[in-house]
Amino acid sequence: MSIAYQQFSAFKSYSSFDKYSVFQFTRPSSTTAHNRGSRWIAPCAAIIPNFHLPMRSFEVKNRTSTDDIKSLRLITAIKTPYLPDGRFDLEAYDDLVNMQIEGGADGVIVGGTTGEGQLMSWDEHIMLIGHTINCFGASIKVIGNTGSNSTREAVHATEQGFAVGMHAALHINPYYGKTSLEGMVAHFQCVLPMGPTIIYNVPSRTGQDIPPRVIHSIADSPNLAGIKECVGHDRVKEYTKNGITVWSGNDDECHDSRWDHGATGVISVTSNLVPGLMQELLLKGKNPSLNKKLLPLMNWLFCEPNPIGVNTALAQLGVIRPIFRLPYVPLPLAKRVEFVNIVKDIGRENFIGDKDVQVLEDDDFMLVGRY
């Protein structure tokens, strides 16, 4: 009996724990390989079970159910603040999370694009998820961004995130090194068994849309909480009419998505600044006047790629140090002046923090390239 067959037999009984993800290809026989006159036949893929058992726990008494995640209305993609040497400013971070709780947010995304997970090591990433759960998990739902364009990394980070107590995971489709739609489904199927999961579709960043047929392929998973959808109202409506939970990924569309197209809520950047007003926008009935009042702020926040705007705004409000991890840099002076005027129009009392909003000069900011 071959070693490979012995391994297969030894692990065969555990194959139900995970999806098939290791592929083995047959080689042409030596006779075929040396017979140049014969017609070459493409090898057939033999799918064998993944020999790695999932590192997960079935202890559920303190776990959050998928239905609990589906009920969240306002989820803030929380900002990660820094100390002058580039490490996390946990004191400022704790203040930000507390202000989200006081403002009525239901959940936070930790280490998302706004939180600059893309600039973190995985050690930093998992530490911050664990810290947030440890300090605030009883007051707000903690959703860890443990997605990656590498399935191996996504699986490992998600295992660790749930092990330290996160309530749910956020997963993006593989970006840059894009895969096929079948590969996308296989990628999500590898992480869904671990716990409640939100799939994030943002083609402007990934370069690839997650079409509805991919979502419908995984919709039967009991751990699929829903979709953070950035494509627009038509896509939101397509999912909601089929009973799939959707959070708008676009702040400027979230009011109409919620009240006209059936979205549950929003995963928001703007709520970093005005959580109370965003909560009112989503929970207290249709309010086009409030939506119109907030649109200048939303447009300002996204005049450059996120999180540049929110980083600049929080520094101007005095709730974080004006420190940026490169490659992000603050918005230019003219935009900083514009933000002061926006705050005055909306009302300083509606924004987090208690300091006067400042313009800040270029020299007030610190850019950190090594940390």
Side-chain angles (χ1 to χ4, degrees), residues 193-206:
M194 298 176 196
T197 301
I198 298 173
I199 302 298
Y200 180 17
N201 186 32
V202 56
S204 62
R205 287 190 179 272
T206 64

Side-chain angles (χ1 to χ4, degrees), residues 15 39 68 82 91 99-101 141 147-148 153 210 214 227-228 263 278 289 308 310 335 337 342 355:
S15 63
R39 181 170 173 243
D68 287 339
Y82 303 114
E91 185 177 346
M99 285 185 279
Q100 290 301 312
I101 295 169
K141 296 303 181 190
S148 172
E153 285 192 9
I210 304 175
V214 168
I227 318 299
K228 178 185 177 183
M278 290 300 293
S289 61
I308 293 170
V310 70
K335 283 292 181 182
V337 172
I342 289 173
K355 296 180 181 178

Side-chain angles (χ1 to χ4, degrees), residues 18 41-42 44-45 49 53 62 74 91 99 104 133 142 208 252 261 263 267 299 306 308 318 324 337 345-346 361-362:
D18 208 352
I41 301 173
C44 297
L53 301 181
N62 293 320
L74 176 59
E91 185 177 346
M99 285 185 279
I133 279 287
V142 178
Q208 186 177 27
D252 60 345
H261 303 286
I267 297 179
N299 292 333
N306 182 52
I308 293 170
F324 282 64
V337 172
D345 290 341
I346 295 174
E361 300 298 328
D362 291 343

